Structures are given as C-alpha cells and as structure tokens.
Amino acid sequence: MRTERSHTRLDRVFARLDREPERPAHVGMPRMSRHRIVLLGATLAFYVAIVWAVVATSWLVRLDWQVMFFRPYQQWPELHAFVDYYVVLGQRGPTAVMVAAWLGWRSWRQHTLRPLIALGVSLLLLNITVGAAKYGMGRLGPHYATEIGSNEMWLGGDIFPSGHTANAVVTWGILAYLASTPRARRWLSALSAVTSLGVGLSTVYIGTHWLSDVLLGWAAGLLILLALPWFEPLIARAEARILAVRDRLRDRRGTKARVPAPAGRPVVVRPLTEHAAGAVHETVPAGRAARSPVYLAPGPHTSRAERSPVTPAGSRRPQHTDRHPRGTTPAPRP
C-alpha cells in the first residue's frame, strides 16, 4: 500500500518560496489623503511645540532634569544588560542592513525596485532633516550638561532630536508603509510604534538623551513617513530609469553574444582520378561542414560480385580452380 508523506508547515513555506517570482499587477501605494495631510499637520505642530518648549526653558526642560536626576539605570539595574542590546534596534547601520536585506529579497520576488528605492529615499530624508536639526540647535546631552535647569541649547551638541528614536521610527515604519495588504500594514504599524517607543525610552534609561529629545525624535521620524507619498513620483521615475539602463545593457550584451556566423561558399568535391566516366560534383549547402575529399585508387574498379575468389597466401586449402566468377559460363569438362 502506497502512502504519501503529509506536508508540514515548513514544507509549505519552502514550496511558496520556490515559486516563480511574479511582479504584482497592481502595487498599492499610500496616497496623500485628507486624513494623512491632517495627521502630517498635527505632527508638524507637535514638532514645533517641542522645539519652542525647550528653547523657552519651560516645564519640559524641568521634566528633563527631573528624569535625569532620577537616574533610571540606577533604579532598575537589572534591566541594563537587556537595554544595551535592545537599543541596537535604533542604530542606523544594523537596522538598515536588516531591513535592506528583507526589502531586497522582496524586490527580487516581485521584480520591482520600489521597496529598495523607498528605503533609500526615507534614509536620505532622515539624514538631511534630523542632521540639520541636530547641528542647528546644538543641544548638549545629560552627561555633558553645564548648568542645572538650563536647556543646554547652541552649545555644540548633537542630540536634539534623538537620532536613535527617529531612525527606529523610519526604518521599521517603512515596512508598514510598503505592506501589500491593509491587515499587514496595521500589524506592522503597531510593531514599529512599539519598537521605536522602546528604543526612545532605552536611551532615556541609559542617560544619553533627554526626554524631550525622544519626543522630538518620534515626531521627526513620523513626519518623514507621512510625507513619503509626495516622493512616490520620484521613486517611480528612478525605478524606470534604472530598469531602462539595465535593459539597454542586457540588449547590448545579447547582441554581442548572438553575432551570426558568416555564410560559407558552396564547396565542390571532385574525385582525384581522371579515369572516371564523368566528374562528380557535390554541392555542400551553407552552414554544413564540408566533407574531406575522397581518394580513390587508380585503375578500373569492379564490383565485389565480379571479383574472382582468392585464397589467402599461406593457407593449407587447395586452390579452387573449379570456381568461376558470377555471370560467366563454366567450360565443359572433358
């Protein structure tokens, strides 16, 4: 009795991965809807409010100093080992490599460069906006504070807003932005929000950032994700140009590899003997290898049936004198 092995979940996953990659007919792209524009405006207002509260040395600065004097890393020292590893989820290098590897595999499966280009555009916007704000406001961190109760602005620092927090929002949020289904977008949005929230609080726990730095970092990363649909035409043009260059290079290589061989001239093969009744001409068509010339022994050629039987030299058998070639009449015996 023949039984078939039941496929496990792992077998089904690998079978799905081995399918021929196909580019989806319709790739859903987030658009700048009215709801998205309202959310973008609210986030921008929150960003400006945080900056104004820090510059004016308001209650937010006093809260920063209270959290710093609380010293969370001394209150809960058992969390320090975990937080040291968890905060890596906000570093630019490791997170960009992990997300780029996933989006690169997805680009190969779907035959599109949009995921990788969208990641590159978002990271470029992050470097420009967050970097300009950091060096423009020049705020010092808690470990380098010079005066208790001051906002530590324009003193040559580079921590406002928090780069770890903004990078976590953009890097993990781009997965939700590029999700193919609404359900996956909701789950990935919640996951990226929790991850970036944990990264921001981890920097406050260690003491490398003020609490206001983390708030501004969340706002900075969210602004980039909300404004990314405005850059979709640029992403589409970049993808079209890259694919056009690839197709031209592929066609050029294919043309060089498919150079047709020159057509050969017909080859006439003649026998070397001049005693033949007539010359035999054989024309070899182009593209067919010419046969080597035929060398025939001189003299008349007889068929095998007309030849007289010959006894090999050194044989013990007597000569067959009574045998005659075929087609001849034997002489009468006396």
Side-chain angles (χ1 to χ4, degrees):
M1 180 178 180
R2 184 178 179 181
T3 59
E4 296 183 357
R5 185 176 65 90
S6 60
H7 296 285
T8 62
R9 179 175 297 181
L10 185 61
D11 295 334
R12 292 194 295 267
V13 169
F14 279 105
R16 184 176 181 181
L17 294 179
D18 290 337
R19 291 187 304 180
E20 183 68 20
E22 297 179 356
R23 178 167 182 157
H26 175 71
V27 179
M29 296 181 295
R31 298 180 179 181
M32 290 301 297
S33 60
R34 182 177 302 178
H35 174 74
R36 198 179 191 94
I37 293 177
V38 171
L39 188 57
L40 178 64
T43 306
L44 183 59
F46 179 76
Y47 186 98
V48 175
I50 294 295
V51 173
W52 178 85
V54 173
V55 171
T57 315
S58 64
W59 61 270
L60 186 57
V61 175
R62 293 194 298 270
L63 180 61
D64 289 339
W65 281 97
Q66 291 174 2
V67 173
M68 193 272 286
F69 284 132
F70 182 72
R71 288 181 172 83
Y73 58 89
Q74 292 182 358
Q75 300 294 330
W76 302 288
E78 63 276 4
L79 300 177
H80 205 289
F82 170 76
V83 172
D84 284 341
Y85 287 102
Y86 186 83
V87 78
V88 177
L89 296 177
Q91 291 184 359
R92 182 71 50 81
T95 56
V97 170
M98 289 187 291
V99 174
W102 167 257
L103 294 181
W105 179 84
R106 182 178 172 182
S107 297
W108 176 78
R109 293 293 298 178
Q110 295 183 351
H111 290 182
T112 176
L113 296 177
R114 178 176 172 264
L116 288 177
I117 298 177
L119 175 63
V121 170
S122 62
L123 293 181
L124 181 61
L125 292 175
L126 179 66
N127 290 335
I128 294 174
T129 57
V130 175
K134 278 177 173 289
Y135 292 103
M137 290 181 281
R139 190 183 190 189
L140 292 177
H143 293 315
Y144 303 96
T146 58
E147 183 181 355
I148 297 177
S150 66
N151 55 17
E152 302 297 325
M153 295 286 285
W154 298 292
L155 295 178
D158 57 350
I159 63 153
F160 187 64
S162 171
H164 273 68
T165 307
N167 181 73
V169 173
V170 172
T171 306
W172 302 113
I174 196 68
L175 298 179
Y177 177 83
L178 296 172
S180 55
T181 60
R183 181 181 180 183
R185 184 170 296 139
R186 287 192 298 268
W187 280 101
L188 290 175
S189 299
L191 181 61
S192 62
V194 172
T195 303
S196 59
L197 177 65
V199 169
L201 294 180
S202 298
T203 60
V204 176
Y205 171 87
I206 297 174
T208 58
H209 281 285
W210 305 100
L211 181 61
S212 57
D213 299 342
V214 174
L215 295 177
L216 196 65
W218 285 331
L222 187 58
L223 282 175
I224 294 174
L225 291 179
L226 291 175
L228 202 56
W230 279 334
F231 296 88
E232 284 294 341
L234 177 63
I235 294 173
R237 288 196 298 269
E239 180 186 13
R241 290 184 180 180
I242 294 174
L243 294 179
V245 171
R246 182 204 63 179
D247 294 339
R248 286 198 298 268
L249 292 177
R250 182 179 296 177
D251 294 341
R252 187 177 303 174
R253 292 177 182 177
T255 303
K256 291 182 179 179
R258 296 192 299 266
V259 176
R265 296 180 178 179
V267 181
V268 179
V269 180
R270 293 193 180 101
L272 297 180
T273 176
E274 299 294 339
H275 301 281
V280 179
H281 300 273
E282 180 179 356
T283 302
V284 180
R288 175 183 173 187
R291 295 181 297 181
S292 57
V294 182
Y295 296 93
L296 302 177
H301 301 279
T302 58
S303 62
R304 186 178 182 89
E306 297 176 355
R307 299 174 187 173
S308 300
V310 178
T311 303
S315 176
R316 296 182 179 181
R317 294 192 305 175
Q319 298 288 337
H320 299 277
T321 56
D322 55 342
R323 294 186 179 180
H324 301 276
R326 296 180 181 179
T328 60
T329 303
R333 297 181 178 182

